[in-house]
Amino acid sequence: MSDTPDLLSRSLDAVQRRIDAVLSAENARWTAVDPRCTPFVDTVTAITTAKGKLLRPRFCLLGHLAAGGDAADPRVLDAAAALELLHSFALLRDDVLDDSPLRRGALTAHQRHARDHRTRGMRGEARRYGEGVANLAADLAHVYADRLTRELPAPARAVWDETRIEVTVGQYLDIAVAAEGVADPELSRWIAVCKSGRYTIERPLQLGAAIAGRPDLTEAFEAYGLPLGEAFQLRDDLIDTFGDSEDTGKPTGLDVAQFKMSYLLSLAVRRDERVRALAAAPAGPRGAATMRDLLVDSGVVADVEQRITHLVDRARHALAEAPLVPRWRTELLDLTTSVAYRDR
């Protein structure tokens, strides 16, 4: 089992090289057409290379290896690279929808292009320009991701298509529920799973297994990936609400300040009159600080931590009897803890 981390690391390095090759070739291709294209393609490159964790490719590779697949299979390397580019698509679009100013400690794409618009004295509205470029860059990342999946077998392609649909519908419901001010914990939980949890863990695992020709693992990876994906997103909500922006590289408290109905906030609204009163309108920075105190005081934070523990236990139990290659089962079990209890 000593070669397990090295094999996975080498595979992840191969995925990163594949991504770099795609983006480098596209940059050269479109720069030759017109130099204006360089900062556009670079928008995809910047957000893709800044993330670093390769979490979704990691789960895709682990799903493939745990199913007995070959780490050198070019189809799984391409699928893992596609998942990372799909993640870039989702982040670019999310930052526009959330009007987030920072990502990984740097200006978000729409803010950066808006600043460029102002600096150069261009025509039109800087905000619309910046958001337009970021949205188009998100579309470009999505196209690159989809192009990498051309050689997937039909069962894997079905998983890929479902992943893209879930992310998009989840993003829509996220902003719709926030705009309506709906406090429905179960709906908020479902949106979080659909928008983030599934495409982070469950679908990448199923995609890797499908490429290995193991559709029999679909249910086992659902039983593992669904609760762990929810735990991942609940931890994300806690980090967004209570984390340190110096550690996360992005502003914290945006969901609370903008009254976005995360599971955390919707549960508190249902439970505590003080939270309901404060959440009647977007909280703003001052109200967000009060809201954080109320979330702790109401016991909601403790309940969410308890739910994360329960979800982690469910995920670990689901792997116990699954017909997986033992060393990769162990790797997945180890990853379960780091995903659910991370601090950034």
Side-chain angles (χ1 to χ4, degrees):
M1 196 162 74
S2 60
D3 66 334
T4 296
D6 288 341
L7 177 58
L8 185 58
S9 295
R10 290 196 301 271
S11 298
L12 287 168
D13 287 344
V15 170
Q16 187 62 64
R17 288 194 299 272
R18 186 73 173 104
I19 294 169
D20 293 344
V22 168
L23 295 176
S24 178
E26 286 296 299
N27 190 303
R29 173 192 178 194
W30 292 109
T31 297
V33 172
D34 191 300
R36 291 177 184 83
C37 294
T38 303
F40 179 50
V41 179
D42 278 349
T43 301
V44 180
T45 304
I47 197 163
T48 305
T49 57
K51 299 190 295 294
K53 295 178 186 176
L54 295 177
L55 185 60
R56 290 148 195 88
R58 185 182 298 270
F59 275 112
C60 181
L61 291 167
L62 283 170
H64 187 70
L65 293 167
D70 180 1
D73 187 335
R75 298 175 304 170
V76 77
L77 297 177
D78 277 357
L83 284 165
E84 190 66 8
L85 284 163
L86 184 68
H87 185 40
S88 296
F89 152 78
L91 292 182
L92 285 164
R93 189 62 54 80
D94 262 352
D95 284 342
V96 172
L97 295 174
D98 295 343
D99 195 22
S100 181
L102 295 176
R103 169 72 61 182
R104 295 285 178 254
L107 281 179
T108 47
H110 67 285
Q111 293 282 4
R112 190 168 64 253
H113 286 289
R115 182 187 63 182
D116 183 55
H117 182 285
R118 290 189 293 269
T119 300
R120 295 170 60 191
M122 298 165 69
R123 296 179 178 181
E125 185 183 342
R127 178 189 177 100
R128 285 177 60 85
Y129 178 81
E131 291 180 350
V133 173
N135 279 326
L136 289 170
D139 290 340
L140 191 64
H142 194 173
V143 173
Y144 290 155
D146 197 49
R147 194 170 65 181
L148 283 165
T149 66
R150 284 178 179 171
E151 302 302 318
L152 291 185
R157 182 73 198 193
V159 175
W160 170 250
D161 288 341
E162 190 65 18
T163 303
R164 295 186 293 154
I165 292 169
E166 288 169 344
V167 169
T168 305
V169 173
Q171 284 182 317
Y172 162 71
L173 283 174
D174 191 37
I175 62 170
V177 168
E180 294 174 15
V182 176
D184 183 338
E186 278 307 301
L187 178 58
S188 295
R189 186 194 67 79
W190 188 89
I191 290 170
V193 168
C194 186
K195 177 191 169 189
S196 180
R198 272 202 168 112
Y199 102 96
T200 298
I201 300 170
E202 178 190 347
R203 298 306 187 198
L205 286 167
Q206 292 173 340
L207 184 60
I211 295 169
R214 292 288 305 279
D216 58 294
L217 290 175
T218 298
E219 291 185 5
F221 281 146
E222 178 182 3
Y224 168 78
L226 204 55
L228 184 57
E230 183 180 345
F232 172 87
Q233 186 55 44
L234 290 176
R235 179 61 59 195
D236 215 41
D237 291 343
L238 288 170
I239 291 170
D240 176 81
T241 304
F242 298 100
D244 187 337
S245 59
E246 291 292 323
D247 293 330
T248 64
K250 59 182 180 179
T252 55
L254 279 181
D255 284 359
V256 172
Q258 296 174 358
F259 189 36
K260 287 191 69 177
M261 272 300 168
S262 64
Y263 177 82
L264 182 72
L265 185 55
S266 61
L267 194 63
V269 167
R270 285 289 185 91
R271 177 179 297 183
D272 195 303
E273 176 61 39
R274 297 170 300 171
V275 176
R276 282 197 295 276
L278 187 60
R286 187 174 299 175
T290 303
M291 182 71 81
R292 282 192 287 269
D293 292 340
L294 291 177
L295 290 172
V296 175
D297 187 55
S298 66
V300 166
V301 171
D303 286 352
V304 169
E305 287 286 6
Q306 187 175 10
R307 180 164 180 81
I308 288 173
T309 300
H310 170 68
L311 290 165
V312 167
D313 288 344
R314 275 178 53 194
R316 295 177 69 88
H317 179 74
L319 286 186
E321 302 301 324
L324 305 175
V325 176
R327 61 173 175 165
W328 300 115
R329 184 206 316 274
T330 300
E331 187 75 15
L332 282 169
L333 287 170
D334 291 344
L335 192 54
T336 302
T337 301
S338 60
V339 162
Y341 296 104
R342 70 196 191 283
D343 59 4
R344 65 185 66 189

